[in-house]
Amino acid sequence: MKVTWKWLNDFIDLSDLNIEELSDKLGAQGLEVDDVDYPAEKISNVVIGYVKNIEKHPNADNLKIAYVDIKDKELKLVSGAPNMKEGIFVPVALEGAEIYGNIVKKVDIRGEVSEGMICSLEELGLEDNSTGIYIFDNLEEKDIGKNALKYLGLDDIIIDFEITSNRSDCLSVLGIAREISIATGREISLPETSFEEGKNKSDDILNVNIKDYNKCYKYTARYMENIKFKETPLWMRTRLELVGLRSINIVVDITNYVMWEIGLPLHAFDGNLVKDNSIIIRRAYNDESFLTLADDELNLNENNLVIADPEKPIALAGIIGGANSEINESTDNVILEAALFDPVNIRYSSKEYDLETDSSYRFERGMDYGIVSLASKRASYLMNMYADADVYAGVCEDKSKNFNPNRELTMRWEKAQELLGFEVDKNKLKNYFGNLDYEILEDNSELLKVKVPSYRYWDVNREVDLIEEVVRLTGYDNIPMTLPKIKIKNINVDKREHMKERVNRILHGYGLFEVYTFPFVNEDDIRILNINKNNLYKINNPMTKELEFMSNEPIISLLKITETNLKRRNDLVKIYEWGRTYSKKNGEEKLLSLLLTGEVKKSIYSKSRDLDYFDIKAILDHIVSIFNLDNPIWEKESRSLWDDSLAYSLKVDEKVVLEFGKINSDIVDYYDIESSVWGLYLYINNILDYYNISREYKEYSFFPPVYFDLAFIVDKKVQSGEILELIKEKAGEDLESVRLFDVYEGKPLEKNKKSLAYSLVFRSLDKTLSEKDVNDRIENVIDKVKEKFNAKMRE
Amino acid sequence: MNIEELKSTLEKIKKSFKNQKKDVDDKESWNDLRVKYLGRKSKIKDLFGLIGEFDPEERKKVGKMINDTKDYIEKEIALLKNKIEEEEEKIKYDITLPPRKRDIGKEHPITSIFELSKEIFSKMGFDIKTGPEIEEEWYNFDALNIPESHPARDEQDTFYINEEKKVLRTHTSPVQIRTMLEEKPPLAMIAPGKVYRSDTIDASHSPVFHQIEGLLIDENVKFSDLKGVLYKYLSELFNDNSIKLRFYNNYFPFTEPSAEMHMNCIFCKGEGCKVCKNSGWIELLGCGMVDPNVFKAVDIDPEKYTGFAFGVGVERLALLKYNIPDMRYFYENDLRMLNLM
């Protein structure tokens, strides 16, 4: 909500006030200043000039040369304006003048030098399309040479306030002036409204009839005739432009001006186009068609409220007028509406047709019952003054008996103190309330009963709202700081957090960094992944195509992060994220996603190498080791994300608890990644059941060990792990550990053979073992391995 | 030999010692030097034998002259030994070689803020709660006193999805509602989590960001308690007991009275700088006393219980605490940033 300093000053004396301090005070009251703008800073060196005489341009028929007095000297200026003539006062941009970033220079126009520029309102940012230069009214010789900004009304300050949706009372210059009055203690004065009304009464010529009193609380109409479409006065036009409104014609400008000034949206109908001067406020009929003045054809229904004459709707109530009764240059009679509508109805109709207007914006926030008459009078005064309107006396009105604008509220002092935590100074507060137009109805040691001012009707309707007024007025600084006594209820250790913490330690140990990504996929991701789109949550109002679907494959987001990092030559990418997958089938599921790719650089200790299967496998083994999984089953994983030759899922009790492996190289290619990418998902909800916070002691031996190394020559296709399992099975209970420590291929072995060497450690819990004690077990192991894998011992 | 001759002899010894010292580069040559100048057959030793030839009254002075030279050489020899040992050590071990280092990973700065916040609030007695991100409109709006009929509903820049009555939660506040429905007061909880708003990405906005919601409900919870708890939290989080807070009136449908809390700028200490746009203050969070309409929605008696609630943006805290210049960096996840900070 933009207002200007001078406009505010019409309502409250702002002399000696500083905008920063004022912003601070208003901010504390809940009226935040978003921006302060000084239009004069954008325009410099524009002065008042007087056109002394004009000559024809020797080389161009449509150009003129004007000799313009700017007090100390006379300038020669070339202009093509059709309204250029002798004896007028005009805004002149001098050589070097700056107008919205453009510098005015001395220019040669078809062989004649122009020493500056005579400006139009368009050039000064005060009009969309100017047909000529601006000509000042009522200036005198003494004004020549003076800074034109003051005369243009541009020596002002634009203040942009952020108005919260509850404070419809502040959507006007008057409302903001009221807040300044609270901040400064200065009185506000109401705008001028007195003028001579005609003898004829609006009530005699007009008819107003509200059909639905629940949707329209009050409707007043005023009749005026003999409208003259004069130019909107410059001061009004400038103010409208400064606060972001466009000047259209004097009638519309006045209704807009009054809306901005007082708050209430008004509407002016062309009196000749309203049949029988009869206004009916009713629900629309189903399928009733209505053409708005913005040229939208609406197909209305019975939930919409319309303003109608006996034949047709002439406005969608509180939102927008109809093309059929729009003010135009031939209008000479006007019916001026000032009314109050049900905010919810306005809101729904405005949403239904996607029509947000300055009017609907205000009405849906609730307008002040108390200013309907003021707004109507103010507009009539301005119409009389600037459009020569003959305004009929009084208004023709209808109003609801169901609507009671007088709201009485009671606040218990004790409740206020309880909620705020400090002793309220009752007398001071009563004064504040008084200044704010709260009428004090009752006042004793226990409670305060007030009548809420009509402009706060929609916002202040409960005891707690009055309590907010208490802090708003006395300041939050008066509230001390205390610490509550919090009753301890739950001290359960969070199993999920505990598990996450352990997994994090593992991941950090393996050098993985945590990332946060946007959990979205786009159409291209979906195509490359070959996902069923119907299973995804789609955002109906996405900001960009990138953010359209909720992701059910979080590794895609990790691939995007990887792509960025690789491009920036971070060549080794090891990352993880605790996120969620989102799918219509399974809803929202928490999981850990992890990705490894890239090159480990050469060092003095090791050669360079690409990350491979055994890097992801190490992390996997470590993570799995913290869970007690019952009968885990490994299966090949063939979802399109994965390379189905090297990806697996782990199931426990029919539920997938994790997946890991190589990411499909087509997908990896798509994200411009050249190296192999390894990924892992840990499905937290499914695996959490198998996590145990507690740890278990396992008995260990204090006797010395016996070591045995065994090397087998087997076919290359034999899997080392299978031999390992067989050794464990056959070596008996004293086998403490067994590990593969060497794999050898090549001479002197046959081409299709390899040697696998295992180191076995035996220890007994209750005696010292000798080699003899384990010899027959070793023999047993050798026999079984030879037999099952067709193995030979390596000498 | 007279004193003058002795003096010049000693000078000669010193000079030749200094010369030969330069050539010493290992233990062996060092030992040769030591034997030559301090050994039993050294010139110095010989000179000691000549003391008797001087006049008795000169002998003390002569002894001291010889001793001084000997002390000088001994000291130099000792220093030389250290130097040689150090050199030999360097040949044996280049201690500046890179160690057998592993790269250790780290958590993301957003997680750091979450963890610190959880720790601080846990110590004060708050539980940690979570809720869904794809949320029912009722929890995200209606129960929080943001009915469809009220314009406040439009101010959240909501992402709507292809499922009736569901949205991407615009704040962590629906977790309040879920908690109040699950448990009876007294209640103390915080809810950290991801939230979504259709905000264009720039240095201080993102369509995906994180919040921490806080809620305390009991008999006699007061606004002053809210101030106290927020002060404790932020002074711990920023490790600064001199922080100042100010509260400006604001409107949030789910609290009344409501306030926007500002903290004095930790960079310029309130003097005015780029971060605080010269105001000396930084907008940090929204808070207030739980609105009676919220209590009504979850069937808690607002006459018996009162409560406070707040919601703070985690990225904002992280930007300030870690002096990160741009919110986009959190989601770019450049590994250099993650590693170095």
Side-chain angles (χ1 to χ4, degrees), chain A residues 23-25 27-32 163-167 344 347-348 351 356 361 364-365 412 415 417-421 459 462-465 467-468 471-472 476-490 494 497 501 507-520 536-543 547 550 561 564-565 568 570 572-580 582 584 588 590 604-605, chain B residues 97-100 102-108 110-111 114-115 118 124-127 129-134 145 148-155 158-163 168-169 183-184 186-188 194 196-201 206-208 210 216 218 220-225 227-229 231-232 246-251 256-260 283 289 291-293 302-303 306 308 330-336 338-339:
Chain A
S23 298
D24 244 17
K25 280 187 179 163
Q29 281 166 213
L31 212 61
E32 199 182 326
I163 309 290
T164 55
S165 60
N166 60 324
R167 295 301 305 273
V344 176
R347 175 168 166 77
Y348 283 140
K351 289 233 138 222
E356 193 186 277
Y361 188 84
E364 70 171 314
R365 281 161 174 73
R412 293 162 291 172
K415 184 76 186 169
Q417 284 168 17
E418 243 176 51
L419 201 63
L420 300 175
D459 177 32
R462 300 164 305 171
E463 181 183 34
V464 69
D465 300 325
I467 295 174
E468 178 169 80
V471 265
R472 202 168 82 80
Y476 289 80
D477 288 348
N478 288 320
I479 303 176
M481 287 204 283
T482 55
L483 279 179
K485 291 190 182 63
I486 295 174
K487 298 190 181 86
I488 293 168
K489 266 173 56 187
N490 309 315
D494 187 330
E497 287 300 313
E501 189 46 48
L507 300 179
H508 296 165
Y510 278 99
L512 276 80
F513 286 90
E514 188 188 18
V515 297
Y516 275 71
T517 66
F518 288 179
F520 298 112
L536 295 183
Y537 289 108
K538 182 177 185 293
I539 293 168
N540 295 338
N541 55 332
M543 292 162 49
L547 313 175
M550 297 300 287
I561 298 299
T564 315
N565 271 288
R568 295 181 183 177
N570 300 325
L572 181 67
V573 178
K574 303 200 280 182
I575 52 179
Y576 71 94
E577 178 173 32
W578 294 96
R580 303 184 185 195
Y582 314 81
K584 290 211 144 187
E588 207 173 312
K590 291 181 183 168
I604 56 168
Y605 304 108
Chain B
L97 281 178
R100 288 194 176 79
R102 272 165 177 274
D103 291 327
I104 306 294
K106 279 177 201 165
E107 77 271 15
H108 192 281
I110 292 176
T111 297
F114 273 145
E115 292 305 318
K118 285 197 245 176
M124 290 196 265
F126 286 76
D127 280 344
K129 299 281 181 185
T130 57
E133 291 166 20
I134 293 174
N145 195 28
E148 209 176 343
S149 59
H150 198 277
R153 184 91 161 222
D154 302 343
E155 285 171 2
T158 312
F159 281 123
Y160 291 91
I161 56 168
N162 59 345
E163 192 154 305
L168 299 189
R169 69 175 174 195
E183 294 175 32
K184 292 273 156 274
L187 285 173
K194 213 181 227 95
Y196 302 82
R197 289 193 195 181
S198 65
D199 266 337
T200 314
I201 308 172
S206 168
V208 179
H210 297 81
L216 175 70
D218 201 348
N220 296 321
V221 174
K222 309 174 287 286
F223 201 103
S224 57
D225 295 331
K227 280 179 95 170
V229 165
Y231 174 78
K232 273 280 165 210
R246 77 177 185 194
F247 293 78
Y248 271 17
N249 181 254
N250 208 309
Y251 174 65
E256 186 86 358
S258 300
E260 185 176 81
E283 245 180 72
M289 302 304 289
D291 193 285
N293 286 351
E303 278 299 307
T306 53
F308 68 65
F330 291 128
Y331 296 97
E332 282 181 6
N333 297 289
D334 192 301
L335 288 164
R336 289 165 299 175
L338 297 176
N339 192 16

Side-chain angles (χ1 to χ4, degrees), chain B residues 263-311:
Chain B
M263 186 175 74
N264 65 326
C265 180
I266 52 169
F267 293 107
C268 61
K269 298 280 167 207
E271 300 275 313
C273 67
K274 218 174 98 188
V275 176
C276 60
K277 292 182 196 124
N278 281 318
S279 70
W281 294 91
I282 292 170
E283 245 180 72
L284 215 52
L285 57 85
C287 59
M289 302 304 289
V290 178
D291 193 285
N293 286 351
V294 174
F295 280 139
K296 255 176 241 162
V298 295
D299 208 14
I300 290 176
D301 179 3
E303 278 299 307
K304 184 165 183 213
Y305 293 105
T306 53
F308 68 65
F310 63 86

Side-chain angles (χ1 to χ4, degrees), chain A residues 144-160:
Chain A
I144 295 172
K146 292 206 172 131
N147 187 340
L149 294 182
K150 186 167 166 260
Y151 295 84
L152 291 163
L154 287 170
D155 58 334
D156 206 343
I157 307 169
I158 305 168
I159 314 167
D160 193 359

Side-chain angles (χ1 to χ4, degrees), chain A residues 696-708:
Chain A
E696 206 179 324
Y697 167 75
K698 286 213 174 70
E699 200 179 3
Y700 57 97
S701 163
F702 292 93
F703 295 98
V706 176
Y707 297 103
F708 259 100

